């Protein structure tokens, strides 16, 4: 059992099969377990990536993240288990000290269940025997050769054939835009999307009403996927209702609560339904849900791994298990980013990893602190990322002083300058506060729409969607310029569901 490794949330991964193991092998496994537990906090996941994580076991992260820190991480504590530090902050800090930051870019595989609980040192030894290197004498004779062979050996060990993750950018392998969102972004016009909360009920009336408000103003609508571990109508059903109502959806697809099999299946189902945009997320930990809390270990993959897997389904036509896909799915793939989470230099690595894995557009957490946001953009620019991805800045208009305090004080990864909160406090009654919230939003839009490197905005006026048309009209944000994809225009007229007319701007 890992001696210094926290025991909550992620279990130690004990061997579940011993049929093929001799007494000697079991004794060796216990020996490895004891040593790696003491030195690295190892939990015996059997899929060791310690070389890539500055020799800190990532499986001590309550979400079991194997590629990066989550959006709610802080330097002080883990967002899920505040009694302990964030594993990934420790990894970033140690990697920086050891000069191994670039190693954090390799896209690590999800766990292979057949390896769980097993030793890994003998595995390295067997690989070394099979490859015939590196030769220890080269440490003296030819250090460079030794280092190359050493790297290649460990790459073989940690990257299974069914994954082959790397640290390279993989541009999309198609020419024509897959979605209206992509087509509009490609024109270079500042492009706006909006978020709609899926209904809590089985009725689609409210959803259709919101689609009616937004469809002439924004290019596409996001549907959250049980955000905050709180159940609602699912994202795929909401997206299909939106699509049938004549507006393009962005289906959020989170890793929480889904195995890799279900993620592949849901993504394929979405493509089959004609949902062209998928925003890949890791998902909030189930601890933040209304409860009772489901069993803690609910993350088979993270967002980077989901992006990697879906991009390969689309561009290489393979499922994770290697089966070929005859008719490949079309996805325009997106990811979320948190410019106000970790320091920009760390967040830029996180963004690069998502872009390399397959993210073509990024929607950010809400922006209130413009200067900090541009620091993040600059960090992305330094890593030459801005010409590889479309960035859409998040915006949540503040409806009340209470909402401003909640966002500023309770929501990890959101920074609201104190003078902005004070403006909301001083704005008088309910109407005065919402008007002040609109004024702040318009000031932010004015700055954001003129920001180099930024391609659009994503408005998250959840439960206040009716304000979005007013914000777009008063700020002068462009409406979508491409309204139909060429190949769709060639097909027969789609049967659009009747949607309620947009509310008039003056009635909001
Ligand atoms: S803050 Fe997030 S990334 Fe860090 S240890 Fe906790 S769950 Fe893992």
């Amino acid at each position: 059992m890992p001696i210094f490794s926290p025991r909550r949330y992620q279990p130690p991964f004990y061997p579940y099969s011993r049929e093929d193991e001799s007494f000697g092998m079991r004794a060796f496994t216990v020996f490895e377990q004891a040593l790696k537990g003491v030195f690295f906090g190892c939990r015996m996941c059997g899929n060791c990536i310690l070389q890539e994580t500055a020799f800190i076991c990532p499986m001590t992260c309550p979400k079991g993240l194997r590629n990066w820190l989550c959006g709610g991480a802080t330097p002080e504590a883990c967002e899920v288990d505040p009694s302990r530090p964030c594993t990934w902050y420790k990894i970033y800090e140690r990697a920086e000290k050891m000069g191994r930051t670039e190693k954090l870019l390799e896209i690590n595989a999800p766990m292979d269940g057949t390896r769980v609980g097993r030793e890994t040192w003998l595995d390295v030894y067997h690989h070394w025997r099979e490859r015939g290197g590196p030769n220890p004498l080269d440490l003296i004779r030819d250090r460079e050769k030794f280092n190359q062979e050493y790297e290649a050996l460990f790459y073989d060990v940690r990257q299974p054939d069914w994954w082959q993750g790397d640290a390279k950018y993989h541009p999309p392998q198609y020419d024509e835009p897959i979605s209206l969102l992509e087509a509009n972004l490609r024109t270079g016009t500042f492009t706006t999307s909006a978020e709609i909360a899926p209904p809590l009920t089985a009725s689609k009336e409210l959803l259709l009403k919101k689609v009616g408000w937004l469809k002439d103003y924004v290019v596409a609508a996001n549907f959250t996927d049980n955000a905050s571990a709180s159940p609602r109508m699912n994202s795929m059903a909401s997206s299909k209702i939106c699509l049938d109502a004549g507006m393009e959806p962005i289906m959020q697809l989170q890793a929480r609560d889904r195995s890799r099999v279900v993620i592949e299946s849901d993504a394929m189902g979405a493509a089959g339904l004609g949902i062209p945009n998928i925003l890949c997320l890791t998902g909030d930990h189930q601890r933040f849900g209304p409860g009772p809390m489901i069993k803690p270990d609910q993350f088979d993959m993270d967002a980077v791994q989901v992006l990697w897997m879906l991009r390969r389904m689309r561009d290489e036509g393979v499922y994770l298990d290697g089966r070929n896909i005859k008719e490949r799915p079309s996805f325009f793939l997106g990811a979320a980013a948190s410019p106000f989470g970790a320091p920009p230099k760390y967040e830029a690595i996180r963004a690069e990893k998502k872009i390399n894995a397959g993210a073509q557009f990024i929607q950010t957490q809400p922006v209130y602190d413009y200067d900090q946001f541009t620091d993040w953009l600059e960090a992305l620019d330094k890593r030459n990322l801005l010409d590889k991805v479309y960035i859409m800045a998040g915006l949540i208009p503040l409806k009340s002083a209470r909402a401003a305090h909640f966002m500023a004080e309770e929501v990890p990864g959101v920074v609201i300058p104190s003078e902005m909160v004070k403006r909301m406090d001083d704005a008088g009654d309910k109407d005065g506060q919402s008007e002040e919230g609109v004024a702040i939003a318009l000031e932010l839009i004015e700055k954001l729409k003129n920001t180099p490197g930024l391609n659009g905005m994503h408005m998250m006026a959840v439960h206040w969607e009716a304000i979005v048309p007013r914000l777009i009209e008063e700020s002068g944000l462009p409406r979508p310029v491409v309204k139909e994809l060429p190949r769709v225009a060639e097909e027969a007229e789609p049967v659009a569901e009747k949607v309620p007319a947009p509310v008039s701007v003056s009635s909001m």
Side-chain angles (χ1 to χ4, degrees), residues 201-387:
T201 71
S203 165
K204 56 185 182 182
E205 292 315 310
L206 183 59
L207 194 158
L208 288 172
K209 198 161 138 190
K210 291 177 178 177
V211 168
W213 292 341
L214 301 179
K215 68 185 282 201
D216 292 334
Y217 291 88
V218 300
V219 67
N222 277 49
F223 291 93
T224 50
D225 186 13
N226 301 323
S228 305
S230 174
R232 290 175 169 268
M233 184 182 283
N234 80 23
S235 180
M236 197 189 307
S238 304
S239 296
K240 177 68 170 117
I241 293 167
C242 174
L243 190 68
D244 290 346
M247 185 177 187
E248 187 169 284
I250 301 169
M251 183 181 100
Q252 295 196 1
L253 180 67
Q254 62 169 17
R256 193 203 64 235
D257 301 327
R258 286 187 174 92
S259 70
R260 60 202 74 175
V261 174
V262 179
I263 294 169
E264 288 174 302
S265 149
D266 281 356
M268 195 60 99
L273 290 171
I275 297 166
N277 308 300
I278 299 186
L279 187 88
C280 303
L281 303 166
T282 300
D284 299 318
H285 194 273
Q286 50 276 15
R287 189 174 84 79
F288 301 110
M293 195 179 106
I294 42 180
K295 83 184 176 61
D297 183 9
Q298 292 294 325
F299 292 85
D300 181 38
M301 299 186 103
D302 57 39
V304 167
Q305 292 164 340
V306 174
L307 284 159
W308 180 263
M309 185 170 73
L310 299 195
R311 181 189 56 74
R312 293 185 72 205
M313 284 170 74
R314 182 193 66 202
D315 292 347
E316 297 170 28
V318 284
Y319 281 111
L320 203 54
D321 55 35
R323 279 174 301 154
N324 284 324
I325 301 170
K326 209 167 153 200
E327 289 248 344
R328 297 182 186 188
S330 294
F331 313 125
F332 182 49
L333 294 172
S338 184
F340 309 97
K345 61 185 176 183
Y346 294 168
E347 287 293 343
I349 292 174
R350 189 170 172 242
E352 180 162 355
K353 214 160 176 176
K354 289 190 177 183
I355 295 163
N356 285 351
Q360 298 163 275
F361 69 99
I362 281 180
Q363 293 174 332
T364 76
Q365 289 276 57
V367 178
Y368 297 102
D369 187 327
Y370 180 76
D371 293 338
Q372 205 173 325
F373 178 69
T374 51
D375 288 348
W376 174 79
L377 271 182
E378 270 171 33
L380 262 59
D381 194 24
K382 274 192 197 143
R383 300 192 78 93
N384 297 318
L385 299 176
L386 296 182
D387 58 351

Side-chain angles (χ1 to χ4, degrees), residues 119-141:
E119 52 69 37
T120 54
W121 288 346
L122 284 180
D123 197 28
V124 176
Y125 173 71
H126 290 312
H127 272 82
W128 178 71
R129 287 285 302 270
E130 276 162 28
R131 293 176 59 90
N135 186 339
L137 287 177
D138 283 337
L139 261 174
I140 306 157
R141 295 187 306 217

